[in-house]
Amino acid sequence: HDGPVNMVATISTGLARMVVYALLALAFSEMAALCKDLTVWLADGRDATPFQGMVSDRLNRAGWYLIVAPIVSWLARAATGAYG
């Protein structure tokens, strides 16, 4: 590459990647916590269902993290003119 480096594009791309990675880490963290909670529930042998507020809240948060991650990436690319 012989031309000058576009610093705005470079910085915004780096920040967008950090946000996407953070959102993916949060989503996987929610899934890991959900698995831990279900394992504890199974070990306790409870008769009540584990699919109550705790499970739906964790799945809801993880879903939103996974929805927002590609949107952040798309917005960063659109803002830097990477689409043309």
Side-chain angles (χ1 to χ4, degrees), residues 17 30-31 34 37-38 46 50 53 60 70:
R17 284 184 178 180
E30 287 293 334
M31 292 296 104
L34 175 62
D37 291 343
L38 290 176
R46 298 181 191 159
N60 188 21

Side-chain angles (χ1 to χ4, degrees), residues 42-81:
L42 186 61
D44 289 346
R46 298 181 191 159
D47 291 332
T49 179
F51 299 100
Q52 300 169 8
M54 172 268 301
V55 172
S56 63
D57 289 344
R58 287 194 189 283
L59 291 174
N60 188 21
R61 280 192 299 269
W64 276 110
Y65 297 147
L66 293 174
I67 289 169
V68 172
I71 293 172
V72 168
S73 177
W74 181 83
L75 288 174
R77 289 183 61 135
T80 60

